[in-house]
Amino acid sequence: MGTSLKNLRRIRLGKLKIVRRRLLQHYEHQPFISLLAGLYSCRWKRYQRQKAEPGQCCCVRTEGLFFVLLIGAFCLSLVFLYFWGEAKNDYNDFDWYTYRSLGYWFLWSVLILVVVAVLFTYIGILVVLAVCLLSEGQQLYLHWSHKVGTLVVLLLFIIALAVLSNLWGEEWATVRLSFQVTAPYLHIGSLAAMTLLSWPVILYFVRMSTKVTQVVIIGPYLALLLVLYFIPLGMYSPCIREEGTLGVKPLLIGHRGLPTLAPENTKMSFEKTIEYGGDGLETDVTMSFDGVPFLMHDSTLKRTTNVQEIFPNLTNANAAMLTWDILESLNAGKWFTQKPPFSSMDSLSDQDKQLARNQSVYKLSDLLRLANRANKTVIFDLYRPPKDHPYRDSWINRTLEVILNETTIDPKLVLWLANDMRFFVQSVAPGFQQTLGFKATVEELVSNHIVKLNLPYSQMSQQDIRMYAAANITTNLYVVSEPWLFSLAWCSGAYSVTTNSVNTLKKMDRPMFLLTPAQYSLMWILTDIVSAVLIANIFLLHWWRERGFSCCPESNEIPDSGFYDTFKTELDMSVSEDSYVRSIPTTPNARSNTDNMGSAEIA
């Protein structure tokens, strides 16, 4: 008798533990779900939510459409954010383009980056909330304010991508190049995201009652997953190479000097390049009205001098139409401390700031003397003067006269880039290194005595660089300022790069993202295996939970039927009470009417 009572008590205690565990499972996540639903749907109270029962979809048709639009907005914002992040190398070009269009200097590139980051964060949070709600089996209901925000963000990024593709379409080449160094790591991130996404996808796959809906849910997911598993087989990167096959570090040519530490095209800028170990100097040469070659990138003096203060009527005049006595009276450095040209610039000492404020327009002859003393190569774009200029047709002769007669620079230090009158230049100055600004066949280059190519980095090709190098023709890429892009140029075998960041790139002793084929294979195969194992376990877990399979064999002992009936009745009552509480109206009048009805029934 005593043993039977103990067994009965043990059974009842076990039943109570089951009830307690089920109640905890029912209520333990409610604060978390309330937070998710409140942020996503503005439905903070429990009776405002609805759980998706087995066989039901995640949401009604309208909410499903907005969920698709939300995913679309997230993907577009991610694409644009990646695009703009990789375009950082050319922010200065973008800001200069907007300056020419608007007439005043502003770091629009940074503003766009901040706006894109904020919008991406907003949409990303909504996507995370939606995925978490789906993982908890909750019905989705996007609040109307978020629906408006999603549509605005979606439309904004569609327009932004269309405008940039039209006005700055060549920047997509930067994105293409970036994949050569970031693809292995993007692959890992994509698989991690797909593995996390498997939880809600498999949950609804298991819950669906028809094969069609199951295929619709799991089909696209598995297709994308398989693509990610095997896409490394088609990846290519110059930075995935055997040890000992990496070439020498490319030489660094200062783009207009060192424009992040000194005003561009000034004596201070070129001296800073030499100070930080630059191997060459790059500049832009314009011919003054009285035949003095000087350094100026823009067609006007407005951006980089104080011409507007001293000669207001010459603010928009072509710089080549002014005489040297006017040009040398201008300040070419004060603007640098007032309107910094780059978003990420090292802080200057008080001495450097004072030095920058006192820079003047620099002559080509002075630059050549400086380069000759420091034994640095010089490459420059030579701008042809406008119409009605005295040297319109003799600007090359005048430039040669200054180089050969007014300086004593070693001809081998001059990389002659201008393509006009090249044969004449070769006959007058055979010591110049003839440089071409576009690709051509090896036969054409050799026949024209070209020894160097000066190409935009968007035309970077390891195959072409090797082909030219085999014919003793070196390749210089411009403008390469970001470490990842310099790493790619290094791995591709470039001989030199023109850069705004001599001080930064000089510190690099090896390329970023450098891997051996064995390291890369181990990385992606291990990632694939871990992802597949986790997804398989998630599938088994959901299948066991939703199909009701037990991990342990049930006991053959028949429990006390009276207690089982009592337990079932109490559990049904608790569920009924819970449903009743969720169905109570929220308005005071309705609640009062409900109470009166209850009193009448009792009476």
Side-chain angles (χ1 to χ4, degrees):
M1 184 67 179
T3 304
S4 300
L5 289 176
K6 288 182 179 179
N7 290 335
L8 182 61
R9 289 174 182 173
R10 189 179 296 111
I11 292 174
R12 289 180 176 179
L13 181 60
K15 294 297 184 179
L16 289 175
K17 288 181 178 179
I18 293 175
V19 173
R20 180 178 180 274
R21 186 173 70 249
R22 291 186 177 181
L23 290 176
L24 286 176
Q25 289 176 348
H26 192 68
Y27 289 104
E28 63 182 348
H29 293 307
Q30 289 305 317
F32 175 64
I33 296 176
S34 297
L35 178 63
L36 295 176
L39 294 175
Y40 187 82
S41 310
C42 203
R43 294 184 169 185
W44 298 94
K45 297 182 179 180
R46 193 168 157 228
Y47 65 81
Q48 294 177 321
R49 302 190 303 272
Q50 185 177 358
K51 192 168 184 177
E53 299 300 331
Q56 290 183 346
C57 292
C58 63
C59 44
V60 297
R61 184 173 301 177
T62 304
E63 294 302 322
L65 174 62
F66 272 98
F67 179 67
V68 172
L69 293 177
L70 180 63
I71 296 298
F74 175 78
C75 293
L76 280 179
S77 61
L78 179 61
V79 169
F80 194 94
L81 182 63
Y82 183 83
F83 172 90
W84 202 250
E86 298 306 309
K88 184 180 179 182
N89 185 81
D90 302 322
Y91 279 0
N92 187 254
D93 292 340
F94 178 83
D95 294 331
W96 182 75
Y97 175 82
T98 56
Y99 165 77
R100 287 199 309 166
S101 302
L102 302 177
Y104 63 92
W105 185 263
F106 185 77
L107 297 178
W108 294 102
S109 56
V110 178
L111 177 62
I112 292 176
L113 179 64
V114 171
V115 172
V116 171
V118 170
L119 294 179
F120 171 78
T121 302
Y122 167 65
I123 293 296
I125 290 175
L126 289 181
V127 170
V128 171
L129 291 174
V131 171
C132 290
L133 285 170
L134 291 176
S135 301
E136 292 292 338
Q138 297 293 315
Q139 290 271 16
L140 293 183
Y141 177 81
L142 188 63
H143 192 257
W144 68 266
S145 61
H146 292 322
K147 291 178 180 177
V148 174
T150 299
L151 292 176
V152 170
V153 171
L154 184 63
L155 183 61
L156 181 63
F157 281 113
I158 290 175
I159 295 174
L161 286 171
V163 170
L164 279 178
S165 296
N166 183 43
L167 299 179
W168 208 20
E170 63 271 15
E171 197 63 23
W172 286 109
T174 306
V175 176
R176 176 180 56 81
L177 290 174
S178 72
F179 288 148
Q180 295 184 19
V181 292
T182 62
Y185 307 93
L186 292 176
H187 172 249
I188 294 176
S190 300
L191 278 182
M194 290 294 289
T195 303
L196 293 175
L197 192 61
S198 67
W199 185 276
V201 170
I202 295 176
L203 173 64
Y204 279 88
F205 167 77
V206 173
R207 284 187 165 194
M208 289 298 104
S209 56
T210 63
K211 298 294 184 181
V212 175
T213 53
Q214 286 182 326
V215 170
V216 170
I217 291 174
I218 204 68
Y221 176 82
L222 289 180
L224 181 57
L225 190 63
L226 288 175
V227 169
L228 289 176
Y229 280 160
F230 295 103
I231 200 173
L233 294 175
M235 286 184 184
Y236 161 76
S237 172
C239 290
I240 299 177
R241 56 195 310 130
E242 297 289 351
E243 292 185 5
T245 61
L246 181 67
V248 297
K249 182 178 180 179
L251 302 179
L252 302 175
I253 299 177
H255 182 233
R256 308 174 203 167
L258 189 47
T260 59
L261 294 179
E264 65 182 55
N265 283 330
T266 62
K267 179 181 179 181
M268 178 184 178
S269 186
F270 296 112
E271 288 179 338
K272 285 290 185 182
T273 304
I274 297 171
E275 177 185 341
Y276 280 93
D279 303 290
L281 309 173
E282 186 275 346
T283 188
D284 313 277
V285 177
T286 301
M287 188 70 65
S288 71
F289 196 79
D290 51 352
V292 178
F294 66 98
L295 312 186
M296 184 61 58
H297 173 264
D298 298 7
S299 59
T300 69
L301 303 165
K302 180 181 178 180
R303 181 174 67 91
T304 57
T305 72
N306 62 340
V307 65
Q308 193 167 7
E309 299 175 7
I310 301 178
F311 305 107
N313 57 322
L314 300 178
T315 299
N316 297 314
N318 193 305
M321 301 303 289
L322 304 179
T323 59
W324 177 247
D325 60 332
I326 294 177
L327 294 169
E328 68 176 347
S329 67
L330 299 175
N331 184 297
K334 189 184 298 183
W335 67 275
F336 184 76
T337 57
Q338 296 172 345
K339 299 177 181 178
F342 294 88
S343 57
S344 55
M345 295 173 57
D346 294 340
S347 57
L348 301 179
S349 64
D350 293 337
Q351 183 179 357
D352 281 344
K353 289 180 181 178
Q354 185 61 30
L355 183 61
R357 296 190 190 102
N358 289 281
Q359 295 299 300
S360 58
V361 178
Y362 208 40
K363 290 196 298 185
L364 174 62
S365 58
D366 292 334
L367 171 65
L368 296 177
R369 295 187 187 98
L370 176 65
N372 190 53
R373 290 195 301 269
N375 195 33
K376 304 297 182 182
T377 58
V378 176
I379 183 172
F380 51 85
D381 286 314
L382 184 57
Y383 297 155
R384 186 178 184 182
K387 292 181 179 180
D388 301 325
H389 193 284
Y391 293 89
R392 166 73 176 177
D393 298 320
S394 59
W395 87 104
I396 289 182
N397 304 68
R398 175 56 185 158
T399 304
L400 287 172
E401 181 182 341
V402 170
I403 296 174
L404 299 176
N405 299 333
E406 298 183 17
T407 69
T408 58
I409 187 171
D410 184 350
K412 294 181 180 179
L413 296 177
V414 178
L415 309 181
W416 185 265
L417 184 58
N419 204 37
D420 298 270
M421 302 174 61
R422 187 176 292 275
F423 291 111
F424 171 74
V425 174
Q426 290 176 349
S427 64
V428 175
F432 288 179
Q433 296 188 51
Q434 295 297 322
T435 306
L436 191 64
F438 52 88
K439 288 183 178 181
T441 63
V442 173
E443 293 76 14
E444 291 175 332
L445 297 176
V446 172
S447 63
N448 289 295
H449 306 287
I450 303 297
V451 298
K452 184 180 288 293
L453 287 176
N454 185 54
L455 303 175
Y457 74 81
S458 59
Q459 297 182 17
M460 186 189 311
S461 167
Q462 184 182 29
Q463 182 179 0
D464 290 344
I465 291 174
R466 287 180 175 178
M467 178 184 66
Y468 292 131
N472 294 321
I473 300 171
T474 59
T475 304
N476 179 70
L477 301 173
Y478 68 91
V479 173
V480 176
S481 300
E482 287 297 300
W484 73 265
L485 190 55
F486 178 69
S487 299
L488 185 60
W490 188 346
C491 294
S492 298
Y495 179 79
S496 60
V497 299
T498 302
T499 178
N500 293 320
S501 307
V502 169
N503 55 327
T504 301
L505 302 185
K506 194 68 178 180
K507 300 175 183 177
M508 294 180 60
D509 55 3
R510 71 189 304 270
M512 301 170 63
F513 312 109
L514 186 63
L515 295 171
T516 65
Q519 290 173 334
Y520 174 58
S521 299
L522 177 63
M523 184 174 69
W524 76 263
I525 292 175
L526 186 61
T527 303
D528 285 359
I529 293 175
V530 171
S531 171
V533 170
L534 290 176
I535 292 175
N537 281 301
I538 291 173
F539 176 82
L540 293 176
L541 176 62
H542 280 311
W543 187 270
W544 171 68
R545 289 177 58 186
E546 299 298 326
R547 299 297 182 181
F549 293 143
S550 176
C551 62
C552 305
E554 294 184 0
S555 174
N556 293 328
E557 182 180 357
I558 301 177
D560 180 67
S561 59
F563 176 78
Y564 176 76
D565 293 339
T566 304
F567 161 72
K568 183 176 184 302
T569 302
E570 291 177 353
L571 186 61
D572 291 341
M573 289 177 62
S574 66
V575 173
S576 300
E577 291 174 0
D578 178 63
S579 303
Y580 174 74
V581 170
R582 283 187 292 173
S583 63
I584 293 178
T586 58
T587 59
N589 292 336
R591 191 179 297 273
S592 176
N593 293 336
T594 304
D595 295 340
N596 293 335
M597 289 175 61
S599 300
E601 290 177 0
I602 293 175

